[in-house]
Amino acid sequence: MVTAAQPLVYPLSLRHLGPNWYATVMGTAVVATAGAALAPHVPGLRGVLTVMWALSLVLLLALLTGRAVHWARHRDQARAHLLDPATAPFYGCLAMALLAVGGGALTVGRDWIGLRAALTLDAVLFTAGTLIGLAAAVAVPYLMAVRHRVEPGQATPVWLLPVVAPMVSAAVGPQLVPHLPPGQARETLLLVCFALFGLSLVATLVMLPLVFARTLTGGPLPLALTPALFLVLGPLGQSTTAVGAFADVAPGVVPVPYSEAFGVLAVLYGVPVMGFALLWACLAAAHVLRARRHGMRFSMTWWSFTFPVGTCVTGTEALGRHTGLVVYTGPAVLLYAVLVAAWGTAAVGTVRGLLRGELLAAPAPVPAAPRPVTVRTTSGAVR
């Protein structure tokens, strides 16, 4: 029997659809792009990667539609997300989702839709993702300064999301360079990507000490937020991927001294940065294991195990290409296996949470705490 209240189920279910849901697109797309370099060595993998990319495209279209409905019907909630210091940084995920799907179109999606369509889709999504990423990199820190009123003790790895988005542009943009006319067009795009790399790198270097200090001095993060520690791997792996991509396309695009310098940068930058990524991965894993022992349950933050790990796969693959060392190509395969397992776990948890109606439900109300009682002694001291 249909009741009058039933037609309201769909819009109500979208009221709490936040920008953090774009992490599902990022995590799915990176499974395809990270595995692309491994495909020649694993029979049948290329076809699976194409399916994963197609799934990421479907997820992106569904979420873009859902978020449009969210802004149209629940504008108050959408504004509340933007003014919430815990949610606003996730607007960087929109840019990264567009960029991840666009990059995947030219990497593996071309097998399904053809080169011309893949190139057009990549160019459109790269342009839109880069512009949105730059807007988020400016707007979110501005809101944090003038509206959110955050304190150093509140720092979490989520703060990195808006400033990492331009680094994703820097990493996926170079694959468009060979498809531009030779000369100024190619060199301009390469140097624009290099500028985006610098923008994001410096912003990350400013933000990362706050996150590291909070981890060391503020105690463990709340259980549900603990997986977000893996977000730190994102700028590390993505920046290593970016410098590797610069070195791949620089010959013939920029003059010889600079093209050779890009090749040097790919190694001299990538090796120490991926070394720190290994340190952080071990630290984050230890925190996650502790949180699991203390009862951490599935939440959308578990998608933090996917895209950041995927960037480490592509970063390690880039180092393997430019050094020729098996010490990098071997771990890339192992990291990819971790990525696939993380994606499977997050996907199953998300589907289960949606079917149970938990993930899009309104946050549980916080019980009112009793007012503190102060007792004044005869000496005048308060305790």
Side-chain angles (χ1 to χ4, degrees):
M1 179 178 179
V2 179
T3 65
Q6 283 181 329
L8 296 178
V9 171
Y10 178 70
L12 284 176
S13 67
L14 294 181
R15 178 168 177 78
H16 301 285
L17 180 70
N20 60 316
W21 277 81
Y22 286 112
T24 62
V25 180
M26 298 160 55
T28 304
V30 80
V31 173
T33 53
L38 306 176
H41 308 290
V42 182
L45 179 57
R46 184 80 182 184
V48 176
L49 299 181
T50 305
V51 172
M52 290 299 297
W53 175 80
L55 177 59
S56 72
L57 177 60
V58 171
L59 287 173
L60 176 63
L61 294 176
L63 282 172
L64 288 175
T65 302
R67 289 286 296 165
V69 173
H70 182 268
W71 270 95
R73 300 189 179 185
H74 306 291
R75 190 162 299 178
D76 61 324
Q77 186 70 11
R79 292 180 181 275
H81 285 164
L82 196 58
L83 298 179
D84 182 357
T87 307
F90 284 101
Y91 274 88
C93 291
L94 167 58
M96 290 186 279
L98 295 171
L99 293 164
V101 174
L106 206 53
T107 304
V108 295
R110 60 194 294 177
D111 296 348
W112 177 43
I113 62 176
L115 177 59
R116 184 184 296 273
L119 185 59
T120 301
L121 182 60
D122 189 13
V124 170
L125 294 182
F126 172 76
T127 302
T130 299
L131 294 176
I132 293 173
L134 289 172
V138 173
V140 175
Y142 174 79
L143 288 173
M144 292 173 70
V146 303
R147 295 295 298 271
H148 295 166
R149 302 298 184 186
V150 295
E151 300 178 359
Q154 298 174 306
T156 72
V158 173
W159 288 10
L160 293 169
L161 290 174
V163 299
V164 173
M167 188 65 79
V168 181
S169 295
V172 303
Q175 66 182 352
L176 289 169
V177 170
H179 299 279
L180 294 176
Q184 293 241 350
R186 292 185 179 183
E187 185 172 357
T188 298
L189 179 56
L190 177 58
L191 294 183
V192 165
C193 291
F194 193 38
L196 292 169
F197 165 84
L199 179 160
S200 182
L201 177 63
V202 174
T204 299
L205 292 176
V206 172
M207 200 78 75
L208 190 54
L210 297 176
V211 176
F212 205 170
R214 161 64 181 83
T215 303
L216 295 179
T217 62
L221 292 175
L223 296 183
L225 195 57
T226 301
L229 288 170
F230 275 80
L231 293 177
V232 175
L233 297 178
L236 304 177
Q238 199 66 278
S239 60
T240 304
T241 303
V243 293
F246 300 155
D248 291 337
V249 302
V253 175
V254 293
V256 173
Y258 303 113
S259 61
E260 294 177 348
F262 276 120
V264 173
L265 179 65
V267 177
L268 294 186
Y269 174 87
V271 171
V273 168
M274 291 307 293
F276 179 71
L278 176 61
L279 167 67
W280 190 271
C282 294
L283 179 64
H287 276 268
V288 169
L289 290 175
R290 174 195 172 277
R292 285 292 288 170
R293 290 196 303 269
H294 285 75
M296 180 183 72
R297 301 177 58 193
F298 176 80
S299 67
M300 289 299 291
T301 57
W302 282 40
W303 284 96
S304 302
F305 299 137
T306 57
F307 191 78
V309 173
T311 67
C312 290
V313 174
T314 56
T316 306
E317 290 173 348
L319 284 177
R321 287 198 314 271
H322 291 285
T323 63
L325 297 177
V326 180
V327 72
Y328 289 112
T329 55
V333 176
L334 178 60
L335 281 173
Y336 187 71
V338 173
L339 168 62
V340 172
W343 180 87
T345 303
V348 169
T350 302
V351 172
R352 183 183 295 121
L354 285 173
L355 293 177
R356 293 176 178 176
E358 298 171 351
L359 295 181
L360 289 177
V366 179
R371 296 181 59 182
V373 178
T374 58
V375 179
R376 186 173 300 274
T377 65
T378 55
S379 62
V382 177
R383 60 182 178 89

